[in-house]
Amino acid sequence: MSAPPTTPRGPRRFGWPQRVFSQVLLMQLAIITGVTVLVTGLFLAPLSAQLDDQAMRRALAIAQSTAAQPQLAASLIATEPSPDGAVQTAAERIRRSTGAEYVVIMDRKGVRWSHPDTSRIGGVVSTDPSTALAGRSVMEIDSGTLGRSARGKVPLLDGSDRVVGAVSVGIAYDSVRARLLAAIPGLLAYAGGALAVGALAAYLISRRLQRQTHDLAFSDISALLTEREAMLHSIREGVVALDRTGRIRLLNDEAQRLLGLGPGAAGKQLDEALGEGRTTDVLAGRVVGDDLVTVRGSRVLLANRMPTDDGGAVATLRDRTELEYLGRELDSTRGLIDALRAQDHEHANRLHTLLGLLELEMHEEAVEFVTEVVGVHRATAEQVTEKVHDPLLASLLVGKATVAAERGVALRMAAETLLPDRLVDPRGLVTVLGNLVDNALDAAAGSSDARIEVGLRAEGRTVVLRVHDSGPGVPAGDHESIFTEGWSTKELPAHGKRGLGLPLVRRLAERQGGNVSVSGSPEGGAVFTVVLPEALGEPAQLGAPDPGGLRAPVRPPTSGDSP
């Protein structure tokens, strides 16, 4: 989706850019430049100290080599300081061969016996020689008559290891500084190269960030996040965002309500938060398609999933429970209208027959005809109420028997049917039985000797419901698939969805601790069996039991009763 146009959110101050790309690039360049300068300075500081140390050690080494010559101490003792003396000659030879700035040899009083400037021979040295004359070596950076230099001073010993003087050697500090300055261009070149590479990397990263943020300003991103939070928590549609590993990144309020999850579900894996089932498979993308129907608890949900560029996905959930119930009511209403239309024709035919008998003055035949018609309906109602004592279930079965008869299907009660009026949740059992009978009617209609057999029996407090139809049956490989949301072999109804009746039956059964199964029959067709433990209450809970443990049957009104 394209980024919204960026609108100015106030005057710019000091020319600071508003775009994320520009701000990040400038900050990265500032950081890289600062780090480069800091690293260069930190490198130059020890380099200068290292060069000073090398110069002082070189001066000390020259001084030690000079003092190690045995004839030098003897010449110092045997001669006087002179520009042409042996000490001056030896010192100058060493100075020229080593490149030192000066080689000064002094006696125990600090009087010079050698110096590059011969006019200073015979004078006292300008710096304190006491440490060297005391028999200890010295390394230092100091200033003297020839300027600042790196110096090394050592004692001069005679053959008896007595200190007879000292040797001071100096390396011009300008040469040390020159070496440092000579290293700076190369160091700056490396630093400049590193800075250029860092700037290029910063630019490339910033360009990538620009594409990912759609060239938005920070204020726009903040506004978008605020608007997104407000929108997600205000819409009446569930939104679930997942990352590439299937972890829940975002869950709005409506999604928490529809899925029965709490705020703590964010951050968990989808399978861990929801458990196994079709809802998890749909949200994880293991089941693909548009407007996928799934059942979560007692809710019927419509799910759509859209992958994102980062490998994750966003799923939306709509609550279709009430709409599904309305659709089923519409299907039932259509079926009832068709049944009433057929009954209307049947009653019209019967009235025409009765009218003809009366016009022919065949009064006895007319009475017999009316008695027979009323007796058929009454016999069906009495057959049901004798075996099923719960008024809601009995009424449902009588009504379904009428609809089945209009569709050419015979609905009969199994011989073992006997159900007392002690149901804990009669409405739940009505839903289960109604769905199974409707499916059986659809399966049996049009078959040879179309029939449905319904069995209801009590085993202690357990109710066992059995519905057997004469339809084509269910293939063995589909015994589990038929209980999956969205699985159906029927044409779409008016509300556009199928495959929810049997999953709801299973959910209702499992909610009461029971189960539902399907099997084949040697006579053909499918046999659905529902076991509901604890479906019957104790007689004392629902009132005093009647003799025999059953209440008097309640006979629902039939078409032959008076209004």
Side-chain angles (χ1 to χ4, degrees), residues 232-253:
L232 287 176
H233 293 289
S234 63
I235 60 175
R236 304 308 299 168
E237 186 168 304
V239 178
V240 181
L242 307 170
D243 63 13
R244 66 177 62 201
T245 64
R247 183 176 57 88
I248 299 176
R249 289 192 297 196
L250 181 143
L251 197 71
N252 72 342
D253 299 339

Side-chain angles (χ1 to χ4, degrees), residues 304-542:
N304 285 282
R305 186 178 187 275
M306 178 65 68
T308 56
D309 294 339
D310 61 354
V314 174
T316 58
L317 301 169
R318 283 176 284 169
D319 191 352
R320 196 183 172 83
T321 307
E322 295 184 2
L323 183 60
E324 185 63 30
Y325 286 153
L326 290 175
R328 289 185 170 276
E329 291 290 339
L330 178 60
D331 288 345
S332 300
T333 303
R334 288 176 179 271
L336 182 59
I337 291 174
D338 293 338
L340 290 176
R341 186 180 294 112
Q343 281 192 342
D344 179 62
H345 288 292
E346 183 181 358
H347 282 295
N349 291 333
R350 289 171 179 170
L351 288 176
H352 291 159
T353 302
L354 181 60
L355 179 61
L357 291 174
L358 293 176
E359 288 181 350
L360 295 175
E361 297 182 357
M362 301 175 66
H363 302 111
E364 294 182 1
E365 288 80 357
V367 171
E368 292 178 359
F369 177 75
V370 172
T371 302
E372 180 183 356
V373 170
V374 173
V376 170
H377 289 281
R378 182 168 299 175
T380 302
E382 290 178 351
Q383 180 188 11
V384 172
T385 54
E386 284 177 0
K387 295 177 177 290
V388 180
H389 297 171
D390 183 85
L392 287 179
L393 283 179
S395 300
L396 173 69
L397 288 171
V398 171
K400 294 296 184 183
T402 302
V403 174
E406 299 300 333
R407 297 182 63 178
V409 180
L411 189 151
R412 64 191 183 194
M413 305 301 297
E416 72 275 8
T417 298
L418 184 60
L419 187 67
D421 185 14
R422 290 189 284 111
L423 289 174
V424 175
D425 183 16
R427 293 185 179 275
L429 192 54
V430 164
T431 301
V432 171
L433 181 59
N435 275 287
L436 292 179
V437 171
D438 286 342
N439 287 341
L441 279 175
D442 292 337
S447 64
S448 176
D449 188 22
R451 67 190 182 282
I452 299 174
E453 185 178 75
V454 178
L456 285 163
R457 72 178 188 273
E459 298 179 356
R461 296 184 59 187
T462 300
V463 172
V464 179
L465 169 61
R466 181 175 170 272
V467 178
H468 177 201
D469 64 70
S470 60
V474 179
D478 293 334
H479 281 184
E480 283 298 321
S481 302
I482 61 175
F483 296 105
T484 303
E485 294 94 334
W487 192 96
S488 179
T489 59
K490 305 174 185 177
E491 295 181 359
L492 291 178
H495 55 94
K497 295 293 175 185
R498 280 286 191 188
L500 293 176
L502 290 178
L504 285 176
V505 168
R506 169 171 277 186
R507 292 295 176 91
L508 288 172
E510 291 177 347
R511 192 166 60 183
Q512 298 186 27
N515 61 79
V516 58
S517 60
V518 61
S519 61
S521 171
E523 304 172 4
V527 179
F528 286 85
T529 303
V530 181
V531 179
L532 301 174
E534 309 296 327
L536 292 175
E538 296 293 344
Q541 296 176 349
L542 301 176

Side-chain angles (χ1 to χ4, degrees), residues 48 85 127 152 171 196 201 210 258 278 355 440 497 505 511 539 545-546 554:
S48 176
T127 56
I171 304 295
Q210 181 184 28
L258 296 178
R278 176 176 169 84
L355 179 61
K497 295 293 175 185
V505 168
R511 192 166 60 183
D546 60 324
V554 178

Side-chain angles (χ1 to χ4, degrees), residues 35-229:
V35 169
T36 302
V37 171
L38 179 62
V39 170
T40 303
L42 293 177
F43 182 79
L44 285 176
L47 177 62
S48 176
Q50 183 180 7
L51 292 176
D52 289 347
D53 184 70
Q54 289 178 355
M56 289 187 294
R57 290 184 179 278
R58 180 185 170 204
L60 182 63
I62 295 173
Q64 289 173 339
S65 300
T66 302
Q69 299 182 16
Q71 70 276 11
L72 191 62
S75 298
L76 181 66
I77 296 172
T79 62
E80 294 294 329
S82 170
D84 299 327
V87 175
Q88 169 68 6
T89 302
E92 281 299 298
R93 184 182 72 252
I94 294 173
R95 183 183 69 81
R96 286 193 295 270
S97 62
T98 58
E101 183 179 18
Y102 65 84
V103 176
V104 174
I105 300 172
M106 68 194 78
D107 61 11
R108 289 188 60 82
K109 296 179 180 180
V111 176
R112 301 186 187 96
W113 288 64
S114 66
H115 196 279
D117 183 2
T118 56
S119 63
R120 295 182 182 275
I121 297 175
V124 180
V125 296
S126 60
T127 56
D128 183 17
S130 58
T131 302
L133 293 175
R136 297 190 298 273
S137 299
V138 178
M139 289 192 308
E140 60 184 0
I141 303 291
D142 203 355
S143 298
T145 57
L146 297 178
R148 192 171 181 78
S149 61
R151 303 182 177 188
K153 298 178 181 180
V154 297
L156 180 62
L157 306 177
D158 61 6
S160 302
D161 291 334
R162 291 180 303 164
V163 177
V164 296
V167 178
S168 176
V169 176
I171 304 295
Y173 197 73
D174 290 341
S175 64
V176 178
R177 185 180 302 167
R179 291 181 61 191
L180 177 63
L181 294 178
I184 289 179
L187 180 61
L188 292 179
Y190 284 116
L195 181 61
V197 173
L200 178 61
Y203 176 77
L204 295 177
I205 293 174
S206 300
R207 288 291 296 175
R208 185 171 185 271
L209 183 62
Q210 181 184 28
R211 291 193 299 271
Q212 291 181 336
T213 59
H214 302 285
D215 200 21
L216 293 175
F218 277 112
S219 56
D220 295 325
I221 294 177
S222 177
L224 286 175
L225 289 175
T226 303
E227 293 166 1
R228 188 200 71 162
E229 288 298 314

